[in-house]
């Protein structure tokens, strides 16, 4: 009797062990599929391609290979303008949710304008590094606010003397006399123009011992 009981118990324990092992294998496969890029990439690439076809198939762009970001376990494909590679957008799959930055990066050109702003600002800072003109900032409009010719200029790097950006800066002064302030603005514009930087869009903050006067010019915000 005891022998039969032990035999049943052994069979039960073996059955439970097998079931437990199958559960471990099942969940192990799921975890591996989520964690190992090569096992999941094919399905993700198909999902991203389907998303692209449904939303952006009319665009004339080139695409990158599927890329895996191990930091956040995401997958992405980047799509480039055929003529200007720096104008691009990315479709990303993260935790089976697909998103893109088409509006910000391709329509508004955020990354393009970020680089353009840095290039122009670096030149201004270099030119005015040893002057009283401080806290210089450069700002471009979103790319979709320019006409086609202007967009091409920006993409080709014709950004320094085109007036496509606004410039702002800060100056400490001893007087807020209008003629004096206009002379400072004209001096800034002349120095800039002599170094290939031209824009009629500006905002200047004059500080006379805490008394602030802001002078603006141009039509950048119109």
């Amino acid at each position: 009797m005891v022998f039969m009981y032990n035999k049943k118990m052994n069979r039960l324990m073996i059955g439970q062990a097998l079931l437990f092992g199958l559960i471990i294998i099942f969940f192990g496969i799921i975890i591996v599929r989520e964690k190992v890029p090569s096992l999941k990439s094919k399905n993700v690439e198909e999902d991203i391609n389907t998303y692209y076809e449904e939303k952006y198939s009319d665009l004339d762009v080139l695409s990158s290979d599927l890329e895996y970001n191990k930091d956040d376990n995401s997958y992405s494909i980047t799509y480039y303008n055929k003529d200007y590679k720096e104008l691009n957008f990315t479709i990303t799959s993260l935790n089976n949710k697909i998103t893109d930055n088409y509006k910000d990066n391709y329509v508004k050109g955020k990354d393009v304008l970020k680089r353009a702003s840095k290039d122009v600002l670096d030149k201004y800072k270099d030119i005015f590094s040893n002057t009283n003109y401080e806290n210089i900032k450069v700002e471009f409009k979103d790319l979709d606010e320019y006409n086609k010719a202007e967009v091409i200029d920006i993409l080709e790097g014709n950004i320094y003397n085109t007036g496509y950006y606004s410039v702002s800066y800060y100056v400490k002064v001893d007087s807020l006399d209008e003629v004096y302030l206009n002379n400072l603005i004209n001096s800034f514009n002349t120095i800039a123009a002599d170094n290939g930087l031209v824009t009629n869009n500006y905002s200047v903050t004059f500080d006379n011992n805490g008394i602030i006067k802001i002078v603006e010019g141009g039509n950048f915000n119109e």
Side-chain angles (χ1 to χ4, degrees), residues 142-176:
D142 289 340
L143 207 59
D144 59 337
E145 296 183 43
Y146 297 97
N147 63 44
K148 186 174 181 179
E150 292 170 340
V151 170
I152 291 174
D153 266 347
I154 292 171
L155 291 173
E156 293 182 345
N158 301 324
I159 52 179
Y160 298 100
N161 62 351
T162 52
Y164 295 157
Y165 58 90
S166 67
V167 60
S168 62
Y169 51 94
Y170 169 92
V171 188
K172 289 183 179 180
V173 293
D174 297 324
S175 168
L176 294 177

Side-chain angles (χ1 to χ4, degrees), residues 105-207:
N105 232 42
Y106 204 81
V107 177
K108 295 183 178 181
K110 295 297 188 181
D111 278 358
V112 170
L113 297 177
K114 188 184 297 183
R115 287 190 291 269
S117 297
K118 182 182 183 305
D119 290 343
V120 175
L121 181 59
D122 285 348
K123 194 165 183 180
Y124 269 103
K125 285 183 175 180
D126 182 56
I127 293 167
F128 293 97
S129 60
N130 296 314
T131 69
N132 293 326
Y133 300 102
E134 302 174 0
N135 197 27
I136 300 173
K137 296 180 181 178
V138 169
E139 180 183 0
F140 283 81
K141 297 180 290 185
D142 289 340
L143 207 59
D144 59 337
E145 296 183 43
Y146 297 97
N147 63 44
K148 186 174 181 179
E150 292 170 340
V151 170
I152 291 174
D153 266 347
I154 292 171
L155 291 173
E156 293 182 345
N158 301 324
I159 52 179
Y160 298 100
N161 62 351
T162 52
Y164 295 157
Y165 58 90
S166 67
V167 60
S168 62
Y169 51 94
Y170 169 92
V171 188
K172 289 183 179 180
V173 293
D174 297 324
S175 168
L176 294 177
D177 175 73
E178 186 173 336
V179 174
Y180 171 57
L181 299 186
N182 284 337
N183 285 337
L184 287 174
I185 293 172
N186 290 335
S187 177
F188 181 93
N189 292 339
T190 298
I191 295 171
D194 288 344
N195 287 275
L197 295 170
V198 177
T199 182
N200 63 344
N201 303 298
Y202 60 83
S203 175
V204 189
T205 300
F206 293 106
D207 182 354

